[in-house]
């Protein structure tokens, strides 16, 4: 078994087949709850989450992994003499990376390395794939960490929420902005800058903001991959994929699965892109 193990938090949405095929790959779950009901992220779909939220009239909330969740995975590996690389969702979206660092200081010292991916979803999965490939050919952990940090800097994330309700209830925007946006059909184009959510533009109607996002995407031509995500709007996701495939016929196009934790903050109908410049 490899001396280097990779741990990814559940916002990465690591495919089951990838997890099954790599004994040195592990997932630590964030949690989502509605009222007094709580689930690990992959125990409930976004569709189920929104249904329960609407039925109970309670907004979903989320929480990062407890220190014990990381310790449960990492401590046996450290005792077995392994080295660990943890790939977390952007620190601007969650305290997961900081929590992982606390555990690393507690039990791992220099044997646990924490990478703030600066992104989510498929961006984290692609970093995990690179780490696994490098570990397979016996690269040193330091070289893997350096590569992943370079990938993080070259990765970009765009988000188009269909509704401002979830951003408002999650404390991301004020009530006046949410009300005004809903009445005027304002659709913000969001992006991650330094790992934090920022507004790139505000456009009326969803179709126009999609066009605006694609205009911004075209500023990047030398891309390793483009991940396309949606929350419960598969037809819109497929239409977006076809447009991007036509724009980038030679670029790898990947699904960017979005789980219930991000869903709780962004709401149904979201479209998003995660893409990496070639390095």
């Amino acid at each position: 078994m490899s001396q280097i193990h990779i741990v990814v938090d559940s916002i990465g949405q690591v495919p089951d087949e990838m997890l099954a095929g790599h004994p040195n790959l592990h997932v630590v779950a964030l949690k989502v709850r509605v009222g007094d009901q709580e689930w690990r992220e992959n125990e409930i779909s976004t569709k189920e989450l929104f249904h329960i939220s609407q039925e109970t009239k309670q907004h979903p909330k989320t929480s990062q992994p407890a220190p014990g969740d990381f310790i449960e995975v990492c401590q046996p590996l450290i005792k077995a003499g392994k080295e660990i690389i943890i790939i977390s969702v952007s620190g601007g979206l969650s305290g997961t990376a900081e929590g992982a660092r606390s555990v690393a200081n507690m039990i791992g010292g220099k044997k646990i390395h924490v990478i703030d991916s600066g992104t989510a979803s498929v961006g984290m999965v692609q970093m995990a794939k690179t780490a696994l490939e490098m570990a397979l050919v016996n690269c040193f952990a330091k070289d893997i960490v350096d590569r992943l940090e370079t990938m993080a800097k070259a990765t970009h994330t765009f988000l188009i929420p269909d509704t401002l309700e979830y951003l408002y209830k999650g404390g991301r925007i004020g009530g006046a902005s949410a009300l005004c946006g809903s009445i005027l059909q304002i659709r913000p184009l969001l992006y991650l800058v330094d790992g934090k959510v920022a507004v790139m533009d505000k456009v009326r109607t969803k179709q126009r903001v999609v066009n605006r996002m694609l205009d911004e995407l075209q500023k990047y031509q030398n891309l390793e991959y483009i991940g396309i995500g949606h929350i419960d709007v598969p037809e819109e996701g497929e239409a977006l994929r076809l447009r991007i495939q036509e724009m980038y016929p030679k670029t790898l196009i990947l699904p960017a699965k979005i789980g219930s934790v991000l869903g709780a903050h962004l709401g149904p109908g979201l479209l998003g892109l995660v893409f990496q410049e070639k390095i």
Side-chain angles (χ1 to χ4, degrees), residues 4 22 24 31 47 60 68 73 77 96 105 125 138 141 156 164 174 221 229 232 239 242 244 257 262:
I4 297 176
H22 296 88
N24 61 326
K31 298 180 181 69
K47 188 171 290 187
V73 172
L77 297 174
T96 300
N105 291 334
V125 172
N138 298 317
H156 307 275
L164 298 177
Q221 287 300 316
D232 302 330
L242 291 172
I244 290 176
K257 188 177 178 184
L262 282 187

CSV table of all heavy atoms in Angstrom, one decimal, residues 4 22 24 31 47 60 68 73 77 96 105 125 138 141 156 164 174 221 229 232 239 242 244 257 262:
chain,number,residue,atom,x,y,z
A,4,ILE,N,1.7,7.3,1.0
A,4,ILE,CA,1.0,8.5,1.0
A,4,ILE,C,-0.4,8.3,0.8
A,4,ILE,O,-0.9,7.7,-0.2
A,4,ILE,CB,1.6,9.5,-0.1
A,4,ILE,CG1,3.1,9.8,0.2
A,4,ILE,CG2,0.8,10.8,-0.1
A,4,ILE,CD1,3.7,10.6,-0.8
A,22,HIS,N,-9.0,3.0,-5.0
A,22,HIS,CA,-7.8,3.6,-4.4
A,22,HIS,C,-7.9,3.4,-2.9
A,22,HIS,O,-8.5,4.2,-2.2
A,22,HIS,CB,-7.6,5.0,-4.8
A,22,HIS,CG,-7.4,5.3,-6.3
A,22,HIS,ND1,-8.4,5.5,-7.1
A,22,HIS,CD2,-6.2,5.3,-7.0
A,22,HIS,CE1,-7.9,5.6,-8.4
A,22,HIS,NE2,-6.6,5.5,-8.3
A,24,ASN,N,-5.8,4.1,-0.8
A,24,ASN,CA,-5.1,5.2,-0.1
A,24,ASN,C,-5.9,6.5,-0.3
A,24,ASN,O,-5.3,7.6,-0.1
A,24,ASN,CB,-3.7,5.4,-0.5
A,24,ASN,CG,-3.5,5.6,-2.0
A,24,ASN,OD1,-4.3,5.2,-2.8
A,24,ASN,ND2,-2.5,6.4,-2.4
A,31,LYS,N,-21.6,18.0,7.2
A,31,LYS,CA,-22.9,17.6,7.5
A,31,LYS,C,-23.9,18.7,7.2
A,31,LYS,O,-23.6,19.9,7.1
A,31,LYS,CB,-23.0,17.3,9.0
A,31,LYS,CG,-22.2,16.1,9.5
A,31,LYS,CD,-22.3,15.9,11.0
A,31,LYS,CE,-21.4,14.7,11.4
A,31,LYS,NZ,-20.0,15.1,11.3
A,47,LYS,N,-32.1,17.4,-4.0
A,47,LYS,CA,-33.5,17.4,-4.2
A,47,LYS,C,-34.3,17.0,-2.9
A,47,LYS,O,-35.3,17.6,-2.5
A,47,LYS,CB,-33.9,16.4,-5.3
A,47,LYS,CG,-35.3,16.5,-5.8
A,47,LYS,CD,-35.6,15.6,-7.0
A,47,LYS,CE,-34.9,16.3,-8.2
A,47,LYS,NZ,-35.3,15.6,-9.5
A,60,PRO,N,-32.1,24.9,5.5
A,60,PRO,CA,-31.0,24.0,5.9
A,60,PRO,C,-29.8,24.7,6.4
A,60,PRO,O,-29.4,25.8,5.9
A,60,PRO,CB,-30.7,23.3,4.5
A,60,PRO,CG,-31.3,24.2,3.5
A,60,PRO,CD,-32.4,24.9,4.1
A,68,GLY,N,-12.9,15.0,15.5
A,68,GLY,CA,-12.9,13.6,15.7
A,68,GLY,C,-13.1,12.9,14.3
A,68,GLY,O,-12.6,11.7,14.2
A,73,VAL,N,-9.9,9.1,10.7
A,73,VAL,CA,-9.3,8.6,9.4
A,73,VAL,C,-7.8,8.7,9.6
A,73,VAL,O,-7.1,7.8,9.1
A,73,VAL,CB,-9.8,9.5,8.3
A,73,VAL,CG1,-9.0,9.2,7.0
A,73,VAL,CG2,-11.3,9.3,8.0
A,77,LEU,N,-3.5,5.9,10.3
A,77,LEU,CA,-2.5,6.0,9.2
A,77,LEU,C,-1.2,6.6,9.7
A,77,LEU,O,-0.1,6.1,9.3
A,77,LEU,CB,-3.1,6.9,8.1
A,77,LEU,CG,-4.3,6.5,7.4
A,77,LEU,CD1,-4.8,7.5,6.4
A,77,LEU,CD2,-4.1,5.1,6.6
A,96,THR,N,-13.3,24.1,7.1
A,96,THR,CA,-12.8,22.7,7.1
A,96,THR,C,-11.3,22.7,7.0
A,96,THR,O,-10.7,21.9,7.7
A,96,THR,CB,-13.4,22.0,5.8
A,96,THR,OG1,-14.8,21.9,6.0
A,96,THR,CG2,-12.9,20.5,5.8
A,105,ASN,N,-1.8,19.5,13.5
A,105,ASN,CA,-0.9,19.9,14.6
A,105,ASN,C,-1.0,19.0,15.8
A,105,ASN,O,0.0,18.8,16.5
A,105,ASN,CB,-1.2,21.4,14.9
A,105,ASN,CG,-0.8,22.3,13.8
A,105,ASN,OD1,0.1,22.0,13.0
A,105,ASN,ND2,-1.5,23.5,13.8
A,125,VAL,N,-11.5,17.0,-6.9
A,125,VAL,CA,-11.3,15.7,-7.4
A,125,VAL,C,-10.1,15.6,-8.4
A,125,VAL,O,-9.3,14.7,-8.3
A,125,VAL,CB,-12.6,15.2,-8.2
A,125,VAL,CG1,-12.3,13.9,-8.9
A,125,VAL,CG2,-13.7,15.1,-7.2
A,138,ASN,N,5.7,7.0,-6.5
A,138,ASN,CA,6.6,7.3,-5.4
A,138,ASN,C,7.2,8.7,-5.3
A,138,ASN,O,8.4,8.9,-4.9
A,138,ASN,CB,7.8,6.2,-5.4
A,138,ASN,CG,7.2,4.8,-5.2
A,138,ASN,OD1,6.3,4.5,-4.4
A,138,ASN,ND2,7.8,3.9,-6.0
A,141,ALA,N,6.0,13.5,-0.8
A,141,ALA,CA,4.8,14.3,-0.4
A,141,ALA,C,5.0,15.8,-0.7
A,141,ALA,O,4.1,16.5,-1.1
A,141,ALA,CB,4.5,14.1,1.1
A,156,HIS,N,-10.2,28.1,-11.3
A,156,HIS,CA,-11.2,29.2,-11.2
A,156,HIS,C,-12.6,28.6,-11.1
A,156,HIS,O,-12.9,27.6,-11.6
A,156,HIS,CB,-11.2,30.1,-12.5
A,156,HIS,CG,-9.8,30.6,-12.8
A,156,HIS,ND1,-9.3,31.7,-12.2
A,156,HIS,CD2,-8.8,30.1,-13.6
A,156,HIS,CE1,-8.0,31.9,-12.6
A,156,HIS,NE2,-7.7,31.0,-13.4
A,164,LEU,N,-31.8,34.1,-5.0
A,164,LEU,CA,-31.0,34.8,-3.9
A,164,LEU,C,-31.5,34.4,-2.5
A,164,LEU,O,-30.8,34.8,-1.6
A,164,LEU,CB,-31.0,36.3,-4.1
A,164,LEU,CG,-30.5,36.8,-5.4
A,164,LEU,CD1,-30.7,38.3,-5.5
A,164,LEU,CD2,-29.0,36.4,-5.6
A,174,GLY,N,-27.6,40.8,2.0
A,174,GLY,CA,-28.6,41.4,2.8
A,174,GLY,C,-30.1,41.2,2.3
A,174,GLY,O,-30.3,40.9,1.1
A,221,GLN,N,-8.1,30.4,-22.7
A,221,GLN,CA,-8.1,29.5,-23.8
A,221,GLN,C,-7.2,28.3,-23.6
A,221,GLN,O,-7.5,27.3,-24.3
A,221,GLN,CB,-7.6,30.3,-25.1
A,221,GLN,CG,-8.6,31.3,-25.6
A,221,GLN,CD,-9.9,30.7,-26.0
A,221,GLN,OE1,-9.9,29.6,-26.7
A,221,GLN,NE2,-11.0,31.3,-25.6
A,229,GLY,N,-21.3,22.2,-13.5
A,229,GLY,CA,-22.2,21.7,-12.5
A,229,GLY,C,-23.5,22.4,-12.5
A,229,GLY,O,-23.7,23.5,-13.0
A,232,ASP,N,-30.0,20.3,-9.7
A,232,ASP,CA,-31.3,19.8,-10.1
A,232,ASP,C,-31.9,20.5,-11.3
A,232,ASP,O,-33.1,20.6,-11.4
A,232,ASP,CB,-32.2,20.0,-8.9
A,232,ASP,CG,-31.7,19.2,-7.6
A,232,ASP,OD1,-31.1,18.2,-7.8
A,232,ASP,OD2,-32.0,19.7,-6.5
A,239,ALA,N,-27.5,21.8,-21.7
A,239,ALA,CA,-27.4,22.9,-22.7
A,239,ALA,C,-26.1,23.7,-22.6
A,239,ALA,O,-25.5,24.1,-23.5
A,239,ALA,CB,-28.6,23.8,-22.6
A,242,LEU,N,-23.2,21.6,-23.9
A,242,LEU,CA,-23.1,21.6,-25.4
A,242,LEU,C,-22.5,22.9,-25.9
A,242,LEU,O,-21.7,22.9,-26.9
A,242,LEU,CB,-24.5,21.4,-26.0
A,242,LEU,CG,-25.1,20.0,-25.8
A,242,LEU,CD1,-26.5,20.0,-26.3
A,242,LEU,CD2,-24.2,18.9,-26.5
A,244,ILE,N,-20.4,24.9,-24.3
A,244,ILE,CA,-19.0,24.9,-24.0
A,244,ILE,C,-18.2,23.9,-24.8
A,244,ILE,O,-17.0,24.2,-25.2
A,244,ILE,CB,-18.8,24.7,-22.5
A,244,ILE,CG1,-19.3,25.9,-21.7
A,244,ILE,CG2,-17.3,24.4,-22.1
A,244,ILE,CD1,-19.3,25.7,-20.2
A,257,LYS,N,-20.1,17.6,-9.9
A,257,LYS,CA,-21.2,17.2,-9.0
A,257,LYS,C,-21.2,18.2,-7.8
A,257,LYS,O,-20.2,18.5,-7.2
A,257,LYS,CB,-21.1,15.8,-8.6
A,257,LYS,CG,-22.3,15.3,-7.8
A,257,LYS,CD,-22.1,13.8,-7.5
A,257,LYS,CE,-23.4,13.3,-6.7
A,257,LYS,NZ,-23.2,11.9,-6.2
A,262,LEU,N,-23.1,22.4,-0.4
A,262,LEU,CA,-23.1,23.6,-1.2
A,262,LEU,C,-24.6,24.0,-1.6
A,262,LEU,O,-24.9,25.1,-1.7
A,262,LEU,CB,-22.3,23.4,-2.5
A,262,LEU,CG,-20.8,23.5,-2.3
A,262,LEU,CD1,-20.1,23.4,-3.7
A,262,LEU,CD2,-20.4,24.8,-1.6
